């Protein structure tokens, strides 16, 4: 059995008067891919952003409950948010490389954490791009602007940028929704390869993608987790009729 990496207990979240999450409980294991599925507006991305405190940046957002990373509550007032975001990286729905070279995109995080030595940075850039399965495609154009390559390559550059600060957890918010099928397949293959070294939590609207790549699946509906189980069991024999209705396309 894998060890628990992230543990979410009785989490409620409000944006102003609107309650977006209701009594969320999740047990996310190390070196597994956990998929969050559910219709638009059900709380998947909101929950994902809680895991590295991105909702801290949202005005009128209030959170109750506990979220533990390796047993430590990340919402404890003494918890270092910068350290949290180094340990828990994020990849967004649309590729968002910085308007600078591929090299500088990858070196950006390590530089902000104090790494200045050119050889060290070169090593990190190469390792991260290899980790994101894009080194062979860009090794001869590291000084080209990252915004000038294809969308699928941009997304893998963003994954490499996240890997460069050596996180333990990778959060992915619909990482392939803006990509063509071939790029999507490359990202899916990459994600399955990365779980050897990282714990991955992925929001997806694509049922087939969740079934293909994830180990566990959590089904969200109207701000609640209806059920969480192994992906195989969830897709073959869900316990709740609402889960079955969503997976089989009766709504959502």
């Amino acid at each position: 059995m894998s060890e628990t990496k992230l543990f979410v207990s009785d989490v409620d979240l409000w944006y102003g008067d609107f309650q977006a999450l209701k009594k969320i409980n999740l047990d996310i294991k190390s070196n597994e891919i956990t998929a969050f599925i559910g219709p638009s507006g059900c709380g998947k991305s909101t929950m994902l952003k809680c895991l590295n405190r991105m909702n801290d940046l949202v005005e009128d957002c209030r959170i109750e409950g506990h979220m533990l990373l390796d047993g430590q509550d990340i919402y404890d007032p003494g918890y270092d948010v910068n350290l949290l975001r180094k340990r828990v990286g994020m990849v967004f729905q649309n590729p968002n490389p910085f308007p600078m070279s591929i090299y500088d995109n990858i070196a950006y995080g390590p530089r902000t954490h104090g790494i200045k030595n050119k050889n060290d940075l070169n090593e990190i850039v190469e390792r991260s791009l290899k980790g994101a399965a894009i080194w062979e495609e860009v090794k001869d154009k590291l000084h080209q602007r990252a915004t000038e390559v294809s969308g699928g390559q941009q997304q893998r550059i963003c994954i490499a940028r996240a890997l460069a600060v050596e996180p333990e957890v990778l959060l992915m918010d619909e990482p392939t929704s803006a990509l063509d099928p071939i790029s999507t397949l490359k990202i899916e293959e990459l994600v399955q390869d990365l779980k050897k070294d990282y714990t991955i939590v992925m929001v997806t609207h694509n049922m087939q993608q969740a079934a293909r790549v994830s180990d566990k699946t959590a089904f969200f509906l109207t701000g609640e987790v209806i059920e969480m189980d192994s992906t195989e069991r969830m897709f073959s024999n869900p316990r709740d009729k609402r889960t079955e209705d969503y997976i089989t396309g009766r709504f959502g």
Side-chain angles (χ1 to χ4, degrees):
M1 290 290 290
S2 300
E3 292 183 0
T4 295
K5 188 68 178 176
L6 288 158
F7 187 73
V8 177
S9 173
D10 288 340
V11 165
D12 295 303
L13 179 145
W14 291 264
Y15 294 126
D17 295 330
F18 172 68
Q19 187 169 0
L21 296 176
K22 304 163 192 169
K23 288 285 175 283
I24 303 292
N25 292 282
L26 298 166
D27 185 353
I28 294 167
K29 301 295 189 185
S30 295
N31 302 105
E32 288 190 348
I33 301 168
T34 301
F36 290 174
I37 64 170
S40 295
C42 66
K44 312 181 294 295
S45 292
T46 296
M47 185 64 243
L48 193 76
K49 290 171 185 169
C50 287
L51 296 174
N52 74 346
R53 289 184 53 173
M54 286 204 64
N55 285 310
D56 286 13
L57 309 171
V58 179
E59 204 173 338
D60 282 341
C61 180
R62 181 165 60 88
I63 299 172
E64 294 179 0
H66 299 283
M67 283 176 250
L68 310 182
L69 174 61
D70 289 337
Q72 287 187 297
D73 196 331
I74 64 173
Y75 281 84
D76 187 287
Y79 201 97
D80 183 340
V81 179
N82 290 326
L83 175 62
L84 173 67
R85 294 194 184 132
K86 183 178 186 295
R87 295 180 67 190
V88 183
M90 185 100 181
V91 177
F92 295 92
Q93 181 172 358
N94 292 304
N96 62 340
F98 302 141
M100 55 179 71
S101 72
I102 294 169
Y103 183 100
D104 287 334
N105 263 271
I106 312 306
Y108 183 87
R111 282 175 176 145
T112 61
H113 290 288
I115 296 173
K116 304 290 186 227
N117 182 282
K118 182 73 172 167
N119 289 335
D120 291 343
L121 288 171
N122 289 347
E123 193 177 304
I124 290 167
V125 169
E126 181 173 344
R127 184 179 69 234
S128 303
L129 289 167
K130 282 179 174 174
I134 193 172
W135 170 252
E136 291 300 326
E137 293 166 53
V138 300
K139 64 183 180 183
D140 296 323
K141 46 186 177 185
L142 293 178
H143 299 290
Q144 180 178 338
R145 283 170 75 91
T147 50
E148 293 173 357
V149 298
S150 73
Q153 289 176 321
Q154 287 184 32
Q155 190 65 303
R156 280 181 287 149
I157 287 167
C158 292
I159 292 170
R161 187 176 67 198
L163 299 182
V165 295
E166 299 185 331
E168 300 158 39
V169 179
L170 209 50
L171 308 178
M172 308 183 100
D173 193 0
E174 294 189 62
T176 63
S177 66
L179 304 180
D180 62 85
I182 292 171
S183 297
T184 294
L185 184 62
K186 284 184 177 177
I187 298 285
E188 288 182 3
E189 289 172 348
L190 168 61
V191 167
Q192 289 192 292
D193 195 45
L194 289 174
K195 79 172 183 178
K196 295 195 299 284
D197 300 306
Y198 306 92
T199 302
I200 297 170
V201 187
M202 176 192 285
V203 168
T204 181
H205 273 289
N206 184 325
M207 293 301 97
Q208 291 78 22
Q209 182 172 75
R212 280 193 300 265
V213 306
S214 68
D215 301 291
K216 299 268 173 56
T217 297
F219 171 53
F220 285 72
L221 188 64
T222 58
E224 299 177 73
V225 173
I226 303 304
E227 67 178 290
M228 182 178 185
D229 209 333
S230 76
T231 298
E232 187 179 2
R233 199 154 40 232
M234 179 87 91
F235 279 81
S236 62
N237 188 26
R239 295 190 301 269
D240 192 291
K241 187 170 188 312
R242 292 168 292 179
T243 312
E244 183 181 356
D245 288 347
Y246 181 71
I247 286 171
T248 55
R250 291 195 184 100
F251 75 93

